[in-house]
Amino acid sequence: MMYVFILIVGLIAGILGGIVGTGTSIMLLPVLAYSFGPKQAVPIMAIAAIMANMARILAWWRDIDWRAVVVYSVPGIPAAALGAGTLLALPSGFVDIAIGAFFILMIPFRRWMHARQFTLPLWSLGIIGAAMGYLTGIVASTGPMTVPIFVSYGLIRGPLLGTEAAVSLAVYISKAITFQRLDALPPDIIFKGLIAGSSLFVGAFIAKRVVMHINAANFHYLMEALMLVAGLSMFWSAFQG
């Protein structure tokens, strides 16, 4: 029953993430943390996120801005490896609190960026990629932050979803390799990640059918609600331990 619940949440998260470009980790990570503990949840989510981003890349291949992908990923890949190593050295309770705080703090930060209507040049994505790569290594997902960044760069809908997925895939692969080298990806973790990721993969393709007909503003509000609930649930998990 635990895996059935994970698959159901993963499918919903995959559809939501496939529409707004983020939200998969926000929904699924607390479920994984509750089921397997916070230290296992992050590497499991890394495997699942690889599958989710592969699906989005396949769905939006022709729309991807590959220049933005390269500029962001070159510094982001080593930064993610550094962040993943930092994560494994942290106490489990601290990991829960850090993830919860990150989710909640992203709510006002996203609104602050949107209110100022930032327009970012291409070169700035390299600096952002290094910072976001390191944070992704620690907190499982920076999608709530990277999506408005790529919107500010000038991408919307298909180009936004495909490009964000491509940079995320590069960062998550780096993170997963680091986990593997630090013996944090034993076969059972990989198996759990593939199970969770399979539902995200399917959800991404379902989302493509509706993405052009959805009011994005409504999903931004929904995403903020999910961030708040997920952040509070991670705090609850930390203090329960």
Side-chain angles (χ1 to χ4, degrees):
M1 289 301 296
M2 176 180 65
Y3 283 108
V4 171
F5 181 63
I6 290 173
L7 287 172
I8 292 172
V9 175
L11 181 62
I12 297 171
I15 294 172
L16 176 63
I19 293 171
V20 301
T22 187
T24 52
S25 297
I26 293 170
M27 290 186 66
L28 190 55
L29 186 63
V31 176
L32 296 175
Y34 177 79
S35 301
F36 307 116
K39 278 295 185 71
Q40 285 195 29
V42 175
I44 290 171
M45 191 66 235
I47 297 297
I50 287 174
M51 297 182 65
N53 286 303
M54 286 179 62
R56 290 180 206 166
I57 290 171
L58 292 173
W60 301 104
W61 179 264
R62 295 182 179 180
D63 297 315
I64 296 174
D65 185 332
W66 290 107
R67 290 196 309 161
V69 171
V70 171
V71 172
Y72 184 101
S73 300
V74 168
I77 289 172
L82 181 61
T86 302
L87 168 68
L88 295 177
L90 297 174
S92 295
F94 181 84
V95 173
D96 273 338
I97 294 172
I99 294 173
F102 179 81
F103 283 154
I104 293 173
L105 288 174
M106 283 305 97
I107 298 173
F109 187 80
R110 286 182 63 256
R111 293 193 173 198
W112 182 80
M113 288 186 63
H114 179 72
R116 283 155 182 77
Q117 298 183 336
F118 279 124
T119 300
L120 298 174
L122 179 64
W123 61 265
S124 68
L125 296 181
I127 299 173
I128 294 169
M132 292 299 100
Y134 182 77
L135 286 175
T136 302
I138 296 176
V139 300
S141 174
T142 49
M145 196 178 213
T146 57
V147 167
I149 285 170
F150 281 110
V151 169
S152 299
Y153 172 64
L155 302 180
I156 58 171
R157 297 189 181 274
L160 167 65
L161 296 171
T163 302
E164 199 279 334
V167 300
S168 295
L169 179 63
V171 170
Y172 276 114
I173 288 176
S174 172
K175 183 175 180 178
I177 291 173
T178 302
F179 284 143
Q180 195 277 330
R181 290 181 176 177
L182 295 173
D183 297 323
L185 273 183
D188 68 306
I189 295 292
I190 296 175
F191 176 73
K192 293 170 183 174
L194 292 175
I195 289 178
S198 64
S199 59
L200 298 179
F201 193 94
V202 173
F205 282 97
I206 295 175
K208 185 180 180 181
R209 294 178 176 271
V210 297
V211 70
M212 300 304 295
H213 305 286
I214 295 296
N215 185 332
N218 291 335
F219 276 90
H220 282 305
Y221 290 126
L222 176 60
M223 184 172 61
E224 289 183 353
L226 290 170
M227 290 164 62
L228 178 60
V229 171
L232 293 175
S233 70
M234 297 305 293
F235 285 139
W236 181 83
S237 178
F239 290 113
Q240 287 296 307

